[in-house]
Amino acid sequence: MNASETIQQRARHQRLDADRLLTAACVGLPLLGLILFFAYPMIIVFLRSITVGDSYGIGNYVEVLGSSGFWRATRHSLVMGGATTLVSVFLGFIIAHGLYRCAFRGKWLIRAIIVLPLLAPSLVQALGLIFLLGRNGVISRALGVEIEIYGFWGLLIANTLYALPQAVMIIGAALVLLDARTYEAADVMGASPWRQFRDLTLPSARFGILNAGFVCFIITITDFGNAAVIGGDYSVLATEIYSQVVGQRNFNMGAVVGIMLLLPTVIAYAIERQAMKRQQAGQTTGQVPYRPVFAPPRDLCMAALSLLICACIVAVIGIVVYASFVTLWPYNMSLSIKHYDITLAGGYSSLWMTILISLGAAVGGTIAVFLLGLGLRRLPHVLAQPVQILAAMPAAVPGMVLGLAYILTFNSTSTPLYLLYGTAALIGIVNFYHYHTQGFLTVMTGFRQLPPALEEAAGSLGAGLGRTACDIVAPFIAPMLVSVFFFLFMRSMVTLSAVVFLTTPQLSVAAVTIMRLDDAGLTSQAAAFSTCVMAVVCGAVLSMKVILAMMQRRRAE
Amino acid sequence: MYLNVRDATKIYGTFTALDRVSIGIDKGEFVCLLGPSGCGKTTLLRLIAGLAELDGGEITLEDANLSQMPARKRGFGIVFQSYSLFPNMTVAENIGYGLKIRGVARTDIAARVAELLDLVKLPQVADKMPGQLSGGQQQRIALARAIAVDPRVLLLDEPLSALDAKVRAELRDEIRQVQRALGIPTLMVTHDQEEALALADKIICMNHGTVVQAGTPEDLYHRPATRFVAEFMGISNLLPPEDIAQLFPDLLPSRRESERAQLACLRPEQIDIASVADGAATIRSISFLGNLRRLQVDTTVGMLTVETHGANPCRVGDRVALTVAPDACTWVIDDTEPRKAVPA
Ligand SMILES: Nc1ncnc2c1ncn2[C@@H]1O[C@H](COP(=O)(O)OP(=O)(O)O)[C@@H](O)[C@H]1O
Ligand SMILES: [Mg+2]
């Protein structure tokens, strides 16, 4: 071997190491983030829950388990979760069945309306219900009856509206899996439409329904916004944590309640993941999409029901927008824009700050999950699997618990992480890790669709990891990246539960401002602020649709 | 040898996918790796490409050890079975990608791309996206992309098996022409013996992660070393010595006693058939295959397959006499369990 060859060989080793290093960095940095901003705070919150004075013990648990308030909140959470799940899965199935198994016009309208609740902070449903059914609500006044909307029923309706989009999406995804050939075969064999529904549609949606049920349950018991605005005396675990921490400044007890809230969500999440796997296992390729033919009794009935449900959603959200323009609800119903002049300290600054934070969380988060997915592909299975499990865990943690964990971790001067406390960056970070799982799973779906041959071909042509990532991988999964970006942006815009503990008088976010306005009795201004947030999020949704459509057009070209 | 693989071993968990496999490719040679599905062909190709790591043995190119070299440094071209064109790039960008990585000037890339598109007979598609091309066209572009960088070795992993029969035959000839014209040492994986016979200078026949026999197409067809090769390389009549003693005693002397269990391999076209009123054999069935007829002939030791060319007056039920030239018989080692299924 001559000298030049030796040098070449050494260069090769270095390049090889460069790629290995890059892989390590791709996995290592996001992993470090997960450990620092998810695993570590969760450990802290657990430790705090067993901290009694200066030592550890189960004293806090004994105290909490012995208090009637806790048991009442737990009972309420479970009852509310169960009731909401039943109602929203039932209604969700009706809409999904209408959308994917019936033939009628105007489905786009239903599709558009059904996602509206996702575009607003959860407390907007509650605000809308108060404007409709509260003491001064349009319906109560028109009927001349006094409806007690604060409490169980109001919360049930608000939560149902909030969980419904998820139920429709999950059940719809399960329904489309059953392809046209199956129905054609049943037709040929002489099965009546009712039999087809009972023997084909329902069983195939079984896991979807189960899955949707668990998702709705988790959404409901972890939601804070609706409970805070319309729950009234109906205390649930999420509001219980809030009152322990913010009302009584009792962090350890808050941590205990947080851990108790974590238990049902973790269990529900674990079951849901199993149901999801079973559903995916049934998937086959080469499907022929089902095209329903118009069957008047069935379709008119389903269309009417779907429209009725959609009308409720539009009414609840629309009344908030309308109320924001009413001069003095309910006495002077003439229109004005005076409520858009926010009188609470800070005015609109929290809106701009939220947009900034959401952009940061979306950009940083998209890059992080992309790098993680890229690196995991190159890691041996034994190393990749634990990372994947960790990356899928944040979905099981209620926002309230994560927020509490953050305040316990970052408001302590014992580590340099204290520097982050009270900064916008920390709010962006908590938003990203709150929704980490959904973003990560979306990107992983994209990576699974990427044929290994593409990367191998690029490698054989001489491209290193960095080049392959930029030239081949990123363009291929670009639609997923765009989806993740907008998902993180939109969730960050409207989320309340995780950030409610992390805002300070100087630094607030939109959802918290809405809650404060409502608390201060400035309900119309809360409506105005909500309308602004919804406008921003709707703008984001439209941009996403346009971008994705353009990408699809380019690829199909 | 230009490229040498010595004792390559690959183990997945407890399963040995490749067991001390040694092969070589000479400059300008077209080598086919032939074997049934799952025998380790792709694994071997991926080891050579650097897409998988050796668990034993070594791979050298012109005496330089490749073991530590990552795929992107080897300068090999590879074409996969599935279309592996980059969907976000035009055809021209796909072909020019390797050159772009090597920092070649834009105008030079454009010229080279045009030249390669001519070579694969698709001069019009430069600005199309891969999704707009048919399967056969995509594989041509994949071939052009692989040879754009003047690869030191061209690796093809069943590049034709996803295509229709007609396109497959066309592209098969084109691959051969291009390879001859450029003289790139080529290793192609296939499970189709006809493809291997038509293309290869040398066929390496594999089974269960080992090389069973390597040689020219004629060698493998006419002088198979084992029962597996004989059966894999087309239709054959495999008869134990007792049966040969009954039917064709003249063939017995060519057998070497020393070797273990042996069978006589008689290709169907090497058996001559003649209608004789008192013949010992009877024709049971005739299939007309265009250029030839395949006859099933019942003999005292069982059915034999015989093929005849041209006009033939035989009918089902005719009594016939069979003869074989003494040098037409090859004795093969019986390396497989007796199989019931008749080769297709
Ligand atoms: N990454 C892998 N992990 C485990 N087993 C593998 C892997 N790749 C291939 N194998 C196994 O090795 C054997 C040979 O595979 P392959 O080389 O793809 O066969 P083929 O000759 O059909 O190309 C098969 O039995 C296959 O199941
Ligand atoms: Mg293969």
Side-chain angles (χ1 to χ4, degrees):
Chain A
M1 197 183 283
N2 61 33
S4 80
E5 241 177 35
T6 317
I7 291 168
Q8 236 181 331
Q9 286 262 327
R10 199 171 301 149
R12 277 170 198 152
H13 278 282
Q14 277 163 5
R15 273 302 291 268
L16 180 67
D17 287 347
D19 258 16
R20 288 250 161 97
L21 267 175
L22 215 51
T23 306
C26 280
V27 180
L29 292 178
L31 184 61
L32 186 69
L34 268 172
I35 290 171
L36 219 52
F37 296 111
F38 173 67
Y40 176 58
M42 290 311 294
I43 292 171
I44 294 284
V45 83
F46 174 71
L47 289 181
R48 285 296 287 264
S49 78
I50 54 169
T51 301
V52 186
D54 287 334
S55 65
Y56 293 129
I58 57 162
N60 298 326
Y61 284 87
V62 172
E63 191 176 326
V64 165
L65 293 178
S67 84
S68 61
F70 167 76
W71 286 111
R72 201 174 45 143
T74 306
R75 204 173 58 239
H76 286 173
S77 269
L78 295 178
V79 168
M80 180 54 64
T84 308
T85 302
L86 284 180
V87 180
S88 48
V89 167
F90 181 69
L91 299 180
F93 184 82
I94 291 177
I95 296 182
H97 188 257
L99 284 178
Y100 297 105
R101 287 292 173 263
C102 298
F104 53 80
R105 291 200 190 165
K107 285 182 180 175
W108 65 271
L109 190 68
I110 293 176
R111 283 208 179 90
I113 290 172
I114 203 73
V115 295
L116 282 180
L118 289 183
L119 308 186
S122 67
L123 36 67
V124 165
Q125 282 80 241
L127 274 183
L129 283 177
I130 290 167
F131 281 117
L132 283 175
L133 299 168
R135 192 170 307 128
N136 289 322
V138 267
I139 294 180
S140 339
R141 286 175 74 89
L143 297 178
V145 291
E146 187 130 323
I147 303 168
E148 184 46 52
I149 192 65
Y150 292 92
F152 178 80
W153 292 103
L155 191 51
L156 176 63
I157 302 173
N159 280 333
T160 299
L161 292 178
Y162 190 54
L164 193 56
Q166 306 275 354
V168 173
M169 282 192 274
I170 296 169
I171 297 173
L175 282 178
V176 294
L177 285 183
L178 193 59
D179 78 343
R181 290 199 199 105
T182 323
Y183 285 100
E184 283 164 4
D187 263 339
V188 172
M189 291 163 76
S192 69
W194 167 245
R195 278 214 75 103
Q196 291 185 20
F197 175 78
R198 214 187 58 190
D199 297 342
L200 297 178
T201 309
L202 265 187
S204 76
R206 196 173 60 225
F207 287 119
I209 291 172
L210 194 66
N211 202 347
F214 283 110
V215 170
C216 291
F217 184 79
I218 295 175
I219 290 175
T220 306
I221 64 170
T222 58
D223 178 70
F224 172 67
N226 283 329
V229 173
I230 208 168
D233 290 335
Y234 196 81
S235 67
V236 291
L237 284 174
T239 47
E240 188 67 17
I241 299 176
Y242 187 73
S243 74
Q244 287 287 352
V245 171
V246 174
Q248 304 169 30
R249 316 269 333 141
N250 194 340
F251 290 98
N252 293 357
M253 296 307 268
V256 172
V257 182
I259 297 290
M260 299 312 282
L261 177 58
L262 193 58
L263 285 180
T265 45
V266 167
I267 292 169
Y269 180 66
I271 300 176
E272 185 229 318
R273 295 277 310 219
Q274 290 307 314
M276 189 92 121
K277 269 189 208 140
R278 297 281 288 274
Q279 178 180 327
Q280 281 166 348
Q283 243 166 318
T284 53
T285 50
Q287 287 196 323
V288 183
Y290 177 70
R291 296 206 188 290
V293 283
F294 185 58
R298 178 195 69 186
D299 292 350
L300 291 179
C301 191
M302 294 307 277
L305 281 174
S306 300
L307 279 178
L308 188 69
I309 299 167
C310 286
C312 294
I313 297 174
V314 171
V316 169
I317 302 217
I319 197 79
V320 175
V321 179
Y322 175 67
S324 74
F325 290 106
V326 168
T327 312
L328 185 60
W329 188 280
Y331 308 107
N332 178 357
M333 299 297 271
S334 63
L335 300 184
S336 85
I337 57 162
K338 77 176 178 106
H339 300 302
Y340 282 81
D341 187 12
I342 304 293
T343 51
L344 200 73
Y348 281 109
S349 66
S350 70
L351 181 61
W352 311 134
M353 186 46 88
T354 310
I355 295 177
L356 206 68
I357 288 172
S358 303
L359 282 175
V363 171
T366 308
I367 294 174
V369 289
F370 174 70
L371 291 182
L372 189 56
L374 188 71
L376 283 180
R377 257 169 106 78
R378 285 163 179 74
L379 235 49
H381 186 69
V382 280
L383 290 179
Q385 202 179 25
V387 181
Q388 256 163 333
I389 292 173
L390 181 63
M393 277 190 350
V397 176
M400 294 299 285
V401 178
L402 192 63
L404 177 60
Y406 267 51
I407 197 171
L408 295 177
T409 307
F410 297 97
N411 194 16
S412 132
T413 44
S414 59
T415 64
L417 292 173
Y418 179 67
L419 291 175
L420 281 169
Y421 185 71
T423 64
L426 191 65
I427 295 180
I429 290 172
V430 78
N431 282 339
F432 168 51
Y433 285 101
H434 187 183
Y435 295 105
H436 186 277
T437 304
Q438 291 88 333
F440 174 72
L441 293 181
T442 306
V443 165
M444 290 309 276
T445 311
F447 273 108
R448 266 197 295 280
Q449 289 164 3
L450 175 69
L454 287 188
E455 284 166 277
E456 291 173 357
S460 297
L461 289 170
L465 176 56
R467 251 205 122 105
T468 310
C470 296
D471 291 351
I472 316 294
V473 182
F476 190 92
I477 65 162
M480 304 291 176
L481 295 179
V482 169
S483 303
V484 171
F485 174 89
F486 281 102
F487 168 79
L488 288 174
F489 177 80
M490 290 187 285
R491 292 325 292 167
S492 303
M493 280 302 297
V494 299
T495 184
L496 174 64
S497 56
V499 295
V500 71
F501 293 129
L502 296 177
T503 53
T504 62
Q506 296 77 39
L507 178 75
S508 185
V509 295
V512 174
T513 304
I514 297 171
M515 189 176 80
R516 301 245 181 284
L517 286 167
D518 179 62
D519 277 350
L522 302 167
T523 319
S524 293
Q525 287 190 28
F529 209 96
S530 303
T531 306
C532 295
V533 173
M534 286 190 276
V536 172
V537 178
C538 283
V541 172
L542 291 180
S543 327
M544 176 173 84
K545 295 261 175 221
V546 169
I547 294 174
L548 287 178
M550 273 165 34
M551 283 179 158
Q552 194 158 20
R553 172 127 24 109
R554 195 184 133 68
R555 195 156 294 186
E557 233 167 42
Chain B
M1 289 280 151
Y2 177 66
L3 178 79
N4 257 312
V5 176
R6 263 187 295 275
D7 292 332
T9 300
K10 181 74 191 173
I11 297 165
Y12 292 115
T14 55
F15 175 74
T16 307
L18 283 184
D19 188 9
R20 283 164 289 138
V21 167
S22 300
I23 67 167
I25 304 174
D26 254 334
K27 279 214 165 100
E29 202 175 31
F30 197 118
V31 177
C32 273
L33 268 185
L34 179 67
S37 171
C39 73
K41 307 178 299 288
T42 298
T43 304
L44 179 56
L45 188 97
R46 292 172 64 83
L47 288 175
I48 296 173
L51 297 171
E53 275 179 41
L54 281 167
D55 292 323
E58 61 167 10
I59 299 172
T60 55
L61 184 78
E62 290 188 308
D63 295 327
N65 193 338
L66 296 184
S67 305
Q68 290 302 313
M69 199 184 285
R72 68 191 144 76
K73 291 273 130 195
R74 295 195 183 190
F76 291 1
I78 187 162
V79 176
F80 297 92
Q81 171 180 352
S82 55
Y83 318 132
S84 56
L85 296 182
F86 306 133
N88 55 304
M89 299 185 191
T90 64
V91 165
E93 284 167 345
N94 261 286
I95 299 177
Y97 188 64
L99 298 169
K100 192 175 137 197
I101 289 170
R102 283 161 180 72
V104 177
R106 249 212 228 146
T107 49
D108 295 345
I109 294 182
R112 178 91 175 115
V113 168
E115 184 187 315
L116 285 161
L117 282 170
D118 279 341
L119 187 70
V120 297
K121 306 208 170 72
L122 286 172
Q124 311 297 336
V125 302
D127 295 321
K128 294 205 172 171
M129 299 305 279
Q132 296 169 280
L133 304 183
S134 70
Q137 287 174 325
Q138 291 197 31
Q139 282 304 65
R140 281 181 195 182
I141 301 304
L143 180 66
R145 183 179 67 183
I147 57 184
V149 293
D150 292 322
R152 301 198 282 177
V153 177
L154 182 60
L155 303 170
L156 310 168
D157 189 0
E158 309 216 14
L160 305 174
S161 32
L163 307 174
D164 303 340
K166 196 160 174 299
V167 182
R168 192 187 306 185
E170 260 174 47
L171 193 51
R172 186 173 82 187
D173 296 340
E174 252 163 60
I175 288 179
R176 187 65 178 129
Q177 277 170 28
V178 167
Q179 193 270 340
R180 279 273 146 79
L182 303 177
I184 306 171
T186 300
L187 181 67
M188 174 162 136
V189 163
T190 178
H191 63 259
D192 179 347
Q193 47 98 9
E194 213 178 301
E195 210 168 276
L197 289 174
L199 284 171
D201 297 317
K202 184 166 88 191
I203 296 178
I204 294 165
C205 193
M206 290 180 64
N207 194 21
H208 298 314
T210 55
V211 172
V212 184
Q213 189 179 0
T216 63
E218 277 91 20
D219 272 344
L220 265 73
Y221 186 78
H222 290 302
R223 285 172 291 283
T226 73
R227 176 186 186 133
F228 170 77
V229 178
E231 289 186 331
F232 201 76
M233 298 302 297
I235 301 176
S236 56
N237 298 291
L238 293 163
L239 300 170
E242 311 87 79
D243 292 357
I244 290 291
Q246 260 193 53
L247 285 182
F248 311 113
D250 297 355
L251 302 180
L252 274 182
S254 60
R255 175 171 182 241
R256 272 158 300 168
E257 287 289 344
S258 56
E259 288 176 17
R260 58 189 167 105
Q262 286 183 72
L263 296 169
C265 167
L266 298 172
R267 295 293 182 191
E269 70 277 9
Q270 290 170 324
I271 302 177
D272 294 320
I273 190 165
S275 280
V276 193
D278 60 348
T282 317
I283 299 180
R284 287 290 174 226
S285 71
I286 302 180
S287 9
F288 177 64
L289 300 172
N291 56 335
L292 57 84
R293 274 160 211 267
R294 186 167 299 148
L295 320 175
Q296 296 298 326
V297 181
D298 202 355
T299 69
T300 50
V301 301
M303 286 288 185
L304 292 187
T305 306
V306 179
E307 284 172 7
T308 64
H309 284 262
N312 192 312
C314 294
R315 301 249 186 98
V316 173
D318 283 3
R319 298 198 72 82
V320 291
L322 304 175
T323 48
V324 179
D327 61 344
C329 161
T330 313
W331 291 92
V332 302
I333 296 168
D334 189 1
D335 60 344
T336 57
E337 293 297 302
R339 282 195 302 187
K340 286 257 166 59
V342 184

